C-alpha cells in the first residue's frame, strides 16, 4: 500500500475499506478486526477531543498487549496526539518520572495487570490531586497531567475515573471535527515518544514521526516477506519499539493479522497458536523457551510457521542447524525498531557465523574508534554510528547536540565489526566489555558459547578482582536453578573460547531470579550481587 505522507489514520482508513472483516489483532480471547478498530478508535478519539486533546497532546498508554492498547494508540494518532507507552513493569516512582518527563496530559490505563495495581500506584503519585474524587486533575508533582481514564475490564461497577466517561463525552464531538483533525495530521508530525534506557542511564524519550516509522516498517516488511496474507506471532510488548513498530505498526501497514498472548499458562498460548496458525514469528527468542518445554509441545501442530526468529517453537524443517549460522537482527528504539537485517533466512557459511545482516534501507552506518572517533577499517572493532531518514528525531527535551554529532551521526554505543562484504557483527555495548588481566572479553561472545553448550540462557559480567582487575563471571539460567558441574563446563568451553574468556565464577539461577529494570533489561549491578550470596 502506497500513501502519500503516510499517517496512522490514513492507513487505518484504507485498510478498513479494503479488508473490513480481517482481524488486525488476536490476543488470547480478544479479537479486533480492521473496521471495528476504525470505529472504536474514532469513538475514543472524539472523547479525547472533548477533553481538549489535539495535535501535539501527549497521551500516555499503560496497557499490556491487547485491544485497549491498540484502540488507544490508534485514537491518539488519528488526531495528531503523541502516543507515549508506559511499561507495565513500571513502579510508582518510574511512572511519576515518565509522566513528568514526557509532559503527559492524558493517561489511558488499565486498572491492574498480573500483580501490578496501577490505581494504587497512581493514587500514590497523585497525592495532592484528590485522585479518588474524579474530575480534572491538578497536582504540582505532575504539573501537565489533567485527565486519567482507567479501564476496569469486566468489572461493571462504577469506579473512579472509569474510561466509560470518555465514551459519553464522545457524543459532544461530531464526525466532521474528527475528520478535519485527522486530515490536518501530516507524515512529518510526531507519532510517538518511546522510552528506552540502558542498564544504568536514566530513561530517554525517543521521538519518531508518522512517516519515518511507517515507511521504515514498510521496508522491513518487504525484507522479511510480511504481506496481507500473513499472520504474525510477536511476543514483544507494545510499549517497546519491537512490539510497537516491528509488531503492531508493521501489521497495520501490511494489512496482516497480529497474534499475541498474555497467558501465563504455556498450554493456553500453544492452544492459541494452533488455532490461529501464524505464518511468521518475531520477537524475543528466550520468551518462547517455556513453550517448547511444555509437556504437550511435541504433539502440537505448528507447521504453519514458515519464517521468523522464534526457532524454538517453529517446525523442525525451518529451524537452523546452528542458530549462529543464521543472520540475527539488531534493533534499537532510536532506529525505529530493526536496524540490521537480511532477507536470506538460510544457513550461512561458517565465515559468516554470528552475522546480524546489513543495514536496512534508509540507514547509513560507520564504525568509529571509541577513543579517537576516527573511522576504523573493515574487520576492526568500533562503535556503530547511524544516520538516515528513519533515525529518531531526537530525545524529547534534549538538544540536537546531545543526540547527534556535528555531521548528524547518532553514536549507538554498540560495539561492532563490519566484514568486507558489509555484514555487521554485534559484540556488545561499549563499557560492558570485561577487562581481565589486560585482555578485553566480550560478554556476548561468552554468553553465546555457554548457550551453545548448555542450551541455557546466560548473562556474563565482570566482577572486581584485585589481581586481574576483573574476572569473567556467568549467571546461567536453568528451569530449577540446578547446580552446575563447573569443571565439565569449563572443559567444554575450552573448545569454544580462549582460556582467558572462560568464566572463573559460575552461578545457576531460575529465570525469575534474574533482576530486571523496568525497561526489561537485565540489571547488571544487582546481577553481580548474586555472587555475594
Amino acid at each position: 500500500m502506497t500513501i502519500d505522507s503516510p499517517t496512522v489514520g490514513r492507513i487505518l482508513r484504507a485498510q478498513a475499506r479494503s479488508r473490513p472483516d480481517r482481524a488486525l489483532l488476536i490476543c488470547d480471547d480478544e479479537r479486533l478486526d480492521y473496521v471495528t478498530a476504525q470505529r472504536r478508535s474514532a469513538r475514543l478519539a472524539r472523547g479525547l477531543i472533548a477533553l481538549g486533546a489535539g495535535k501535539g497532546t501527549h497521551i500516555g498508554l499503560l496497557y499490556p498487549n491487547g485491544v485497549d492498547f491498540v484502540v488507544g494508540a490508534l485514537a491518539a494518532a488519528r488526531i495528531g496526539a503523541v502516543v507515549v507507552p508506559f511499561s507495565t513493569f513500571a513502579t510508582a516512582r518510574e511512572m511519576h518520572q515518565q509522566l513528568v518527563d514526557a509532559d503527559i496530559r492524558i493517561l489511558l490505563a488499565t486498572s491492574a495487570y498480573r500483580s501490578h495495581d496501577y490505581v494504587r500506584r497512581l493514587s500514590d503519585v497523585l497525592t495532592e490531586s484528590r485522585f479518588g474524587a474524579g474530575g480534572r486533575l491538578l497536582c504540582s508533582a505532575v504539573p501537565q497531567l489533567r485527565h486519567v481514564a482507567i479501564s476496569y475490564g469486566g468489572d461493571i461497577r462504577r469506579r473512579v475515573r472509569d474510561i466509560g466517561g470518555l465514551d459519553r463525552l464522545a457524543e459532544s464531538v461530531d464526525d466532521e471535527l474528527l475528520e478535519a483533525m485527522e486530515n490536518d495530521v501530516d507524515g512529518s508530525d510526531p507519532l510517538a515518544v518511546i522510552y528506552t534506557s540502558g542498564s544504568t542511564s536514566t530513561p530517554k524519550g525517543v521521538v519518531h514521526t508518522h512517516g519515518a516509522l511507517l515507511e521504515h516498517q514498510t521496508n522491513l516488511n518487504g525484507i522479511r516477506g510480511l504481506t496481507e496474507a500473513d499472520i504474525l506471532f510477536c511476543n514483544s510488548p507494545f510499549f517497546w519499539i519491537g512490539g510497537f513498530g516491528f509488531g503492531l505498526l508493521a501489521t497495520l501497514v501490511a494489512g496482516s493479522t497480529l497474534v499475541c498472548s498474555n497467558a501465563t499458562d504455556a498450554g493456553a498460548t500453544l492452544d492459541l497458536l494452533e488455532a490461529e496458525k501464524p505464518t511468521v514469528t518475531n520477537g524475543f527468542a528466550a520468551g518462547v523457551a517455556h513453550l517448547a518445554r511444555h509437556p504437550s509441545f511435541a504433539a502440537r501442530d505448528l507447521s504453519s510457521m514458515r519464517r521468523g526468529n522464534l526457532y524454538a517453537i517453529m517446525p523442525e524443517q525451518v529451524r537452523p542447524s546452528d542458530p549462529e549460522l543464521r543472520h540475527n537482527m539488531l534493533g534499537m528504539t532510536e532506529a525505529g525498531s530493526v536496524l540490521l537485517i537480511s532477507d536470506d533466512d538460510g544457513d550461512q557459511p561458517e565465515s559468516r557465523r554470528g552475522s546480524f545482516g546489513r543495514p536496512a534501507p534508509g540507514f547509513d552506518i560507520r564504525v568509529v574508534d571509541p577513543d579517537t572517533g576516527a573511522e576504523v577499517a573493515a574487520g576492526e572493532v568500533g562503535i556503530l554510528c547511524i544516520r538516515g531518514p528513519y533515525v529518531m528525531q531526537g530525545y524529547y527535551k534534549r538538544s540536537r547536540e546531545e543526540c547527534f554529532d556535528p555531521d548528524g551521526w547518532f553514536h549507538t554505543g554498540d560495539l561492532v565489526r563490519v566484514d568486507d562484504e558489509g555484514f555487521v557483527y554485534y559484540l556488545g555495548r561499549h563499557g560492558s566489555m570485561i577487562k581481565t588481566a589486560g585482555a578485553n572479553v566480550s560478554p556476548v561472545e561468552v554468553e553465546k558459547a555457554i548457550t551453545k553448550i548448555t542450551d541455557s540462557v546466560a548473562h556474563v559480567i565482570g566482577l572486581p578482582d584485585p589481581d586481574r582487575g576483573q574476572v569473567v563471571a556467568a549467571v546461567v539460567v536453568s528451569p530449577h536453578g540446578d547446580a552446575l558441574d563447573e569443571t565439565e563446563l569449563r572443559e567444554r568451553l575450552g573448545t569454544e573460547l580462549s582460556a582467558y574468556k572462560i568464566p572463573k565464577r559460575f552461578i545457576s539461577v531460575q529465570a525469575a531470579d534474574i533482576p530486571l529494570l523496568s525497561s526489561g533489561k537485565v540489571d547488571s549491578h544487582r546481577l553481580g550481587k548474586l555472587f555475594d550470596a
Side-chain angles (χ1 to χ4, degrees), residues 87-167:
S87 168
T88 56
F89 300 119
T91 64
R93 180 190 64 80
E94 291 164 335
M95 288 168 60
H96 172 255
Q97 183 180 39
Q98 187 171 331
L99 285 166
V100 173
D101 188 75
D103 293 325
I104 300 299
R105 188 82 173 179
I106 301 170
L107 177 67
L108 308 180
T110 187
S111 61
Y113 177 62
R114 294 184 178 170
S115 63
H116 305 286
D117 184 340
Y118 301 120
V119 175
R120 174 171 292 181
R121 290 181 192 177
L122 286 167
S123 300
D124 292 342
V125 169
L126 303 170
T127 53
E128 306 170 20
S129 66
R130 298 176 61 209
F131 177 81
R136 189 178 175 89
L137 284 168
L138 289 172
C139 180
S140 61
V142 189
Q144 298 292 340
L145 186 64
R146 289 294 178 270
H147 303 280
V148 174
I150 299 172
S151 301
Y152 288 94
D155 188 345
I156 61 174
R157 294 173 294 169
R158 256 319 262 284
R159 306 293 290 270
V160 62
R161 303 189 180 278
D162 195 307
I163 199 168
L166 278 181
D167 189 64

Side-chain angles (χ1 to χ4, degrees), residues 3 92 110-111 113 130 138 157 198 247 275 290 353-354 367 416 432 441:
I3 294 179
T110 187
S111 61
Y113 177 62
R130 298 176 61 209
L138 289 172
R157 294 173 294 169
H290 69 296
R353 172 180 289 275
V367 182
V416 302
S432 70
V441 176

Side-chain angles (χ1 to χ4, degrees), residues 256-309:
S256 52
T257 297
L258 177 60
V259 173
C260 60
S261 176
N262 296 315
T264 55
D265 175 17
T269 302
L270 289 169
D271 289 343
L272 177 71
L273 297 178
E274 272 196 303
E276 301 304 335
K277 303 186 184 312
T279 55
V280 182
T281 72
N282 279 122
F284 296 110
V288 297
H290 69 296
L291 301 181
R293 292 194 296 265
H294 192 267
S296 71
F297 179 74
R300 300 286 186 162
D301 179 8
L302 302 178
S303 58
S304 62
M305 300 178 185
R306 300 190 302 271
R307 302 186 306 279
N309 71 329

Side-chain angles (χ1 to χ4, degrees), residues 60-92:
L61 298 180
L62 176 54
Y63 294 114
N65 287 11
V67 168
D68 284 342
F69 185 104
V70 174
V71 171
L74 293 175
R78 290 177 69 168
I79 61 174
V82 180
V83 178
V84 186
F86 280 66
S87 168
T88 56
F89 300 119
T91 64

Side-chain angles (χ1 to χ4, degrees), residues 313-388:
I313 59 171
M314 295 175 69
E316 187 172 353
Q317 60 267 28
V318 298
R319 293 182 202 170
S321 56
D322 181 346
E324 283 295 293
L325 294 181
R326 290 280 177 92
H327 292 295
N328 206 326
M329 293 183 292
L330 179 67
M332 62 184 66
T333 310
E334 292 86 349
S337 74
V338 173
L339 166 66
L340 303 175
I341 191 172
S342 175
D343 60 359
D344 182 353
D345 58 2
D347 289 356
Q348 301 299 302
E350 182 64 32
S351 61
R352 210 170 286 155
R353 172 180 289 275
S355 162
F356 278 69
R358 294 186 174 106
F363 289 91
D364 297 322
I365 69 168
R366 64 196 299 255
V367 182
V368 302
D369 184 277
D371 298 320
T372 67
E375 192 163 358
V376 303
E380 293 185 5
V381 176
I383 292 178
L384 175 66
C385 301
I386 61 175
R387 188 171 65 179

Side-chain angles (χ1 to χ4, degrees), residues 393-404:
Q393 299 296 296
Y395 293 124
Y396 186 59
K397 290 183 176 177
R398 302 199 183 193
S399 68
R400 184 170 180 80
E401 289 73 22
E402 292 178 271
C403 305
F404 306 101

